[in-house]
Amino acid sequence: MARKLTTLDVLTSALNEQDCINELYSRIKKSLEFNGDLKWRLIICDNGSSDGTWNEIQTLSSMDSRVIGVRMSRTFDLDSALTCGLDMSTAEDSRNAKCLIN
């Protein structure tokens, strides 16, 4: 019998995405809120953006505590940004995902 998922962390990297971060958030929220028992978070790693991406992430985070923003000190490769986000993850199966990346 499959175990029911109770926590989920959605992870993404963003580089100069100020015009799409809000749409991404809206779509993820709409997709995940159908299950009232699921506790979820959206972890967004700003990977050295030079536009207003970080400001958009901060605005979302102030409106919804499930949005976690991580600001990278510069632009890194995608693997590094995702590893940073995985380090922030507290979802129940995050350790298994870390093993797949490493």
Side-chain angles (χ1 to χ4, degrees):
M1 176 186 245
R3 183 174 52 124
K4 184 177 178 183
L5 186 66
T6 59
T7 61
L8 176 69
D9 285 341
V10 178
L11 169 64
T12 189
S13 174
L15 177 61
N16 296 328
E17 303 292 346
Q18 75 176 15
D19 294 333
C20 7
I21 286 289
N22 287 310
E23 181 68 21
L24 173 71
Y25 164 76
S26 296
R27 289 182 183 201
I28 289 172
K29 181 180 175 186
K30 182 178 179 181
S31 296
L32 296 176
E33 286 194 331
F34 72 93
N35 182 344
D37 296 335
L38 180 65
K39 294 185 186 333
W40 62 272
R41 299 186 315 162
L42 172 59
I43 301 172
I44 307 171
C45 295
D46 180 353
N47 199 2
S49 296
S50 58
D51 64 357
T53 298
W54 180 244
N55 291 335
E56 294 296 324
I57 294 169
Q58 287 180 306
T59 299
L60 287 172
S61 183
S62 69
M63 293 182 336
D64 188 337
S65 63
R66 296 174 294 191
V67 177
I68 309 299
V70 179
R71 191 173 198 186
M72 308 288 280
S73 60
R74 62 176 177 82
T75 303
F76 291 87
D77 58 46
L78 181 60
D79 291 350
S80 295
L82 293 177
T83 299
C84 176
L86 282 170
D87 287 344
M88 301 290 298
S89 178
T90 59
E92 56 193 87
D93 284 333
S94 62
R95 286 176 286 151
N96 294 334
K98 290 175 188 174
C99 292
L100 292 174
I101 296 284
N102 294 331

